[in-house]
Amino acid sequence: MVIKVKNLRKEFNGTHAVDGISFEVKQGEVFGLLGPNGAGKTTTVKIMATMLLPDGGTAEIGGYDVVKHPQKVRGIVDVITARDKFYRRLNAYQNMSFFSRLYGVDDWKDKMENYGGRLGLEKEDYQKRLGDYSTGMRQKLNLVRNLIRNTPILFLDEPTLGLDPVSSRKFRGLLKEIMDREEKTVVFTSHNMYEVEELCERIAILNRGRITSVGEPGALKKRIFPKRLVEFRYMEDGLPDIDDPAIDKIEKEGRYIRVYLEDGRRLHDIIEKIMSIGRITDLSVKEPTLEEAFIRHTEDEERSDEKVTAWI
Amino acid sequence: MDIKGYFSILWAFVVRDWQRRWSYKLNFIAMLLYPIVWVSVFGVLGRTIDDAGGTGVPGGFSTFMVTGIITWRFIRVGFFDSSWSIRWEQHIGTFKNIYMLPNHLMVPISATALSGFTVSMLNFVEMWLVAELVFGISLNLTLPSFLFLVLAWLSVIGFGFAIAGIAILYKEIQAVFTVIFFSFQFFCGVFFPVDALPRSAQYVSRVIPITYALNGIRYSITHGYIPTTDLIVMPIAGLIGLAIGLVTLQLCLKKALKEGKLERY
Ligand SMILES: Nc1ncnc2c1ncn2[C@@H]1O[C@H](COP(=O)(O)OP(=O)(O)OP(=O)(O)O)[C@@H](O)[C@H]1O
Ligand SMILES: [Mg+2]
C-alpha cells in the first residue's frame, strides 16, 4: 500500500473537519474522495501533503509518516488544485524555468513543449505572461508543471473547479491518459460524482469528516442503491404477468410499465421474463448514476443522523 | 541537500526576482534612481551644514550622513525582504508550489533573503559611486569594513526571518514592524549622532545592533579601523539575531501547520 491513512482526525475550533477516517491506496491506483462541500476532502489532502498537522491518527505516504518525515513525503508527492498559480508578470518560459530549477529538472524546455503540445498549448502561448492566460490555459500549464516534476504520487483536489464543461472534460481526458501511462498513484477529490466515476478505480464517500462507504464505483452504486428500474411500452390492457422475488413493485402509467427491482443482479433474468410476455416495445433499463446514489446516501445519513462506520 | 542543489535554487530565486522587477519598467528605473537621489539629498544637506561651520562630527557631517544612509539602505532590504516575499507568495498563491519541495522551508526563505541581498549590493555600489564621484566623499572601503557591513546585514536578517514567521500567522504584523524599523532611524544614529539624543533614548540605542554597525562603519572611514566594541558586538548580535529569527520562524511554522494557516489554497 502506497498510502495508508489510519484513524485520521483534525478539528478546527470545535468543527470535526476530519473525524477518524481510514483508507488505503495501492500502487498505481486512482482513488477518489467524494463528498459535499465541507466534508473534509481538502483537510484530508492537506494532511497527506504535509501542509497541515493532524490532531490524531497517522498517514503514511510511500512508507513515510507525514508528521515525522514531511520532507521525504514532499519529495514524492505533488498537489494539483484549481487554485494553483504562477507569477503573473512572467511568461510561461520564465515561470517554468523557475519551477524546474527548484525541481532540479534540466531538460524542462523540451518537456514543457512536448507535454504542453499534447495538452493543446501552442508555442506562442509560452511567450505570453501568465496574467494573460485564461483559467483553462493556466490549468493546462499547471498540469505541465506537475508532469515536468513527475512525482510518483499525485493529489488532485478538485482540479477542474472553474473550468467550463468542455474544458473540464478535456482536462479529465488528459488526466486519464497520464494516469494510465505513468502508473501514478492518485488521490482525486471532487463533489462531482460523474468526474469521480469516470476517473477513479475506487471511491470513498466522505461526509462530515467520516467515510461512509468505500468501494469501486459500480459496486458502490449497487450497494448504496441496488434497485434497478426496467421501463417498457406494453400494448395489452392491465398489468403483465411477471413474477419474481427480485421484483419490488410494478407500476403502470399510460402505456408504460415500470418494474422496480429490489436486486439489480437478477436484471437479466427479469428482462428475459418480460420479453417472453410479448407485445412489448421500447424497453429500457435505468441505472442509477453515482450522483443519485450519492445524494440518496448522504440524505439518508442526514435523516437518520446515525454514525455509519467505514467498512474497511 | 547539497551545496550545488542549494545554489541552483538560490539562482532560481535571483533570476525570478530580477525578471519580476524588470517587468515593472518604471519601478525598475525608480529602484535604480532612489539610492542616487537619497545620497544626493543627504550629501548636499551634509555639505551645507559643513559649510556653515559643521557639527564637530569627525570626518565632517556630509560623510556622516552619506555613510548613514548607505548603511541604512544596505540593511533595510534584509529586514523586510524575506517577510514581504513570503506574504506576497501566500497572497498570490504560489507559496504552495514552493512549499511542496523536499526541503525545509528555510531553503526557499533564505534563498529569497539572499536574492534580496543582490538588491542591497546594487544599491550599495550605486550609492558608493555617487558618494565618491559626485561628492568626493571617500568611504575607504576595505575588505574588513565591507565584511562588517555584511555582518550588520546578518544581524537584521534574523529579525527578517522572525517577521516572516509571524507574518504567516498574522497578516498585519508587517505594519507594526515597519514602524519599529523606522524608529531605528531615530535611535541608531542614521542621520544624526546618537549623542544628540536625550540620555534615556540613548539606552535604547545601545541595545540595537544597528547602532554599533553604523558606529563601526563610520569609524573605519575616519580612523581606518573598527573599534573593538563594535567588532565584538556585531558578530554576537548577528548570531543572536539569526538564532532568534530561526527559532521564531520555526515556532510560527509549527503553529501555522497546526492551524491550517500555512497554505490556504
Ligand atoms: N484552516 C481552517 N480553519 C478553520 N476551519 C477550517 C479550516 N480548514 C477547513 N476548515 C473547516 O473544516 C471543514 C472541512 O473543510 P474542507 O475544506 O476539508 O472541506 P472540503 O470537503 O474540501 O469542501 P469543499 O468541497 O468545499 O472544498 C469545514 O467545515 C471547514 O470550514
Ligand atoms: Mg476542498
Side-chain angles (χ1 to χ4, degrees):
Chain A
M1 290 295 164
V2 176
I3 298 174
K4 278 192 242 173
V5 172
K6 227 183 265 157
N7 203 19
L8 207 62
R9 285 191 297 106
K10 182 74 197 178
E11 193 180 310
F12 293 110
N13 345 298
T15 314
H16 296 277
V18 172
D19 198 9
I21 69 171
S22 306
F23 61 87
E24 296 192 342
V25 184
K26 279 187 303 222
Q27 162 90 41
E29 190 177 24
V30 180
F31 186 80
L33 278 177
L34 179 63
N37 293 132
K41 305 180 295 288
T42 298
T43 306
T44 308
V45 167
K46 280 188 177 173
I47 293 173
M48 292 196 297
T50 79
M51 292 176 191
L52 188 63
L53 283 171
D55 292 339
T58 55
E60 252 182 43
I61 314 292
Y64 298 115
D65 185 283
V66 292
V67 178
K68 290 186 198 119
H69 305 286
Q71 293 180 39
K72 296 269 187 209
V73 172
R74 292 202 293 270
I76 51 173
V77 164
D78 207 357
V79 184
I80 290 187
T81 80
R83 287 173 65 179
D84 289 340
K85 294 289 159 56
F86 289 89
Y87 301 106
R88 298 172 59 83
R89 302 287 300 188
L90 307 189
N91 68 31
Y93 280 126
Q94 293 169 327
N95 265 289
M96 215 52 90
S97 125
F98 171 73
F99 289 108
S100 302
R101 278 193 183 113
L102 299 191
Y103 304 150
V105 176
D106 293 327
D107 54 348
W108 60 272
K109 207 164 178 173
D110 290 341
K111 285 187 170 154
M112 175 182 178
E113 285 168 2
N114 179 10
Y115 291 130
R118 269 191 267 170
L119 302 197
L121 289 172
E122 313 271 335
K123 270 200 171 176
E124 303 86 74
D125 294 334
Y126 304 139
Q127 305 285 358
K128 276 196 212 163
R129 282 185 183 173
L130 261 291
D132 298 332
Y133 268 47
S134 71
T135 311
M137 283 167 80
R138 195 181 62 227
Q139 199 55 334
K140 283 176 185 168
L141 200 68
N142 191 21
L143 197 56
V144 171
R145 171 166 60 183
N146 169 268
L147 289 170
I148 288 176
R149 189 178 172 202
N150 195 20
T151 53
I153 301 168
L154 189 55
F155 300 153
L156 294 147
D157 193 2
E158 309 214 33
T160 56
L161 216 68
L163 296 186
D164 67 53
V166 176
S167 307
S168 174
R169 178 142 43 89
K170 272 195 196 149
F171 190 76
R172 278 200 300 277
L174 294 164
L175 282 178
K176 209 167 162 64
E177 197 188 310
I178 292 156
M179 288 166 180
D180 289 347
R181 200 183 41 224
E182 312 265 332
E183 265 289 293
K184 284 182 192 283
T185 308
V186 176
V187 175
F188 186 96
T189 84
S190 179
H191 56 253
N192 180 338
M193 349 295 137
Y194 177 70
E195 210 171 63
V196 172
E197 197 173 2
E198 189 183 338
L199 288 175
C200 301
E201 293 155 40
R202 226 150 46 86
I203 297 173
I205 294 188
L206 199 64
N207 194 29
R208 297 200 225 154
R210 287 166 175 273
I211 290 181
T212 50
S213 14
V214 188
E216 26 166 313
L220 210 58
K221 274 195 288 192
K222 287 214 181 80
R223 194 169 61 256
I224 300 169
F225 193 57
K227 294 183 183 175
R228 290 285 185 97
L229 167 64
V230 184
E231 201 180 57
F232 54 87
R233 240 166 104 96
Y234 186 49
M235 296 312 176
E236 309 274 314
D237 289 333
L239 288 173
D241 179 26
I242 337 164
D243 192 26
D244 193 283
I247 294 176
D248 186 24
K249 64 175 174 188
I250 301 178
E251 272 177 7
K252 183 165 187 182
E253 197 185 310
R255 284 262 158 239
Y256 279 93
I257 303 285
R258 288 197 193 102
V259 180
Y260 292 89
L261 306 191
E262 194 60 70
D263 186 353
R265 281 169 300 188
R266 299 259 316 134
L267 183 69
H268 277 276
D269 298 340
I270 307 273
I271 290 177
E272 265 176 36
K273 281 189 182 175
I274 292 171
M275 299 300 282
S276 68
I277 304 167
R279 295 189 58 79
I280 279 168
T281 53
D282 300 346
L283 183 128
S284 62
V285 179
K286 306 261 187 272
E287 195 183 349
T289 59
L290 195 54
E291 176 145 16
E292 284 171 294
F294 170 71
I295 290 170
R296 263 181 78 109
H297 191 62
T298 38
E299 272 176 356
D300 280 353
E301 235 208 15
E302 269 156 23
R303 219 176 298 133
S304 65
D305 211 19
E306 274 172 4
K307 285 180 182 170
V308 182
T309 41
W311 56 270
I312 53 158
Chain B
M1 112 181 277
D2 55 3
I3 289 286
K4 198 169 158 271
Y6 183 78
F7 272 101
S8 165
I9 289 182
L10 175 58
W11 182 240
F13 277 89
V14 171
V15 172
R16 178 203 72 179
D17 290 345
W18 282 99
Q19 280 173 338
R20 195 166 42 79
R21 282 184 200 108
W22 178 240
S23 80
Y24 296 96
K25 300 284 186 299
L26 285 177
N27 263 310
F28 191 86
I29 294 166
M31 184 192 78
L32 294 179
L33 287 180
Y34 266 139
I36 295 172
V37 173
W38 275 64
V39 174
S40 305
V41 167
F42 288 100
V44 171
L45 185 64
R47 192 183 277 172
T48 312
I49 292 169
D50 282 335
D51 290 347
T55 55
V57 175
F61 201 62
S62 54
T63 308
F64 182 92
M65 284 238 135
V66 168
T67 37
I69 197 68
I70 290 181
T71 311
W72 179 256
R73 290 288 305 186
F74 191 75
I75 57 184
R76 73 179 282 283
V77 181
F79 198 79
F80 290 112
D81 221 56
S82 43
S83 63
W84 180 81
S85 191
I86 262 209
R87 277 283 338 133
W88 169 72
E89 207 102 47
Q90 277 192 317
H91 178 71
I92 63 165
T94 47
F95 186 74
K96 190 205 93 193
N97 298 85
I98 288 178
Y99 178 75
M100 283 308 291
L101 293 173
N103 312 312
H104 193 277
L105 197 51
M106 260 332 281
V107 170
I109 290 179
S110 63
T112 300
L114 287 170
S115 166
F117 187 75
T118 61
V119 180
S120 284
M121 275 308 295
L122 178 74
N123 281 185
F124 176 77
V125 171
E126 276 183 86
M127 294 169 105
W128 182 37
L129 287 177
V130 173
E132 296 256 354
L133 301 178
V134 179
F135 292 94
I137 296 167
S138 176
L139 298 183
N140 294 326
L141 194 70
T142 57
L143 190 61
S145 61
F146 180 70
L147 289 179
F148 188 75
L149 198 60
V150 174
L151 269 180
W153 183 80
L154 267 180
S155 78
V156 294
I157 200 75
F159 290 103
F161 289 154
I163 309 170
I166 300 170
I168 291 175
L169 294 170
Y170 312 101
K171 286 184 198 172
E172 307 292 337
I173 203 72
Q174 272 160 311
V176 176
F177 281 101
T178 306
V179 172
I180 293 176
F181 194 63
F182 281 96
S183 78
F184 289 172
Q185 285 186 335
F186 175 77
F187 288 114
C188 303
V190 180
F191 304 121
F192 45 80
V194 173
D195 298 338
L197 288 173
R199 268 253 157 267
S200 49
Q202 287 186 33
Y203 290 118
V204 180
S205 309
R206 298 247 160 74
V207 297
I208 307 171
I210 299 169
T211 311
Y212 300 90
L214 282 160
N215 191 53
I217 300 277
R218 290 197 175 113
Y219 227 84
S220 84
I221 290 168
T222 49
H223 297 73
Y225 67 93
I226 299 165
T228 323
T229 333
D230 301 329
L231 263 184
I232 294 168
V233 167
M234 268 334 285
I236 295 174
L239 283 179
I240 292 176
L242 208 56
I244 291 176
L246 292 179
V247 169
T248 312
L249 181 63
Q250 211 50 250
L251 290 175
C252 292
L253 281 178
K254 186 107 187 176
K255 194 165 152 65
L257 272 174
K258 264 216 110 53
E259 294 178 1
K261 284 183 177 164
L262 187 65
E263 173 44 58
R264 309 172 214 227
Y265 73 69

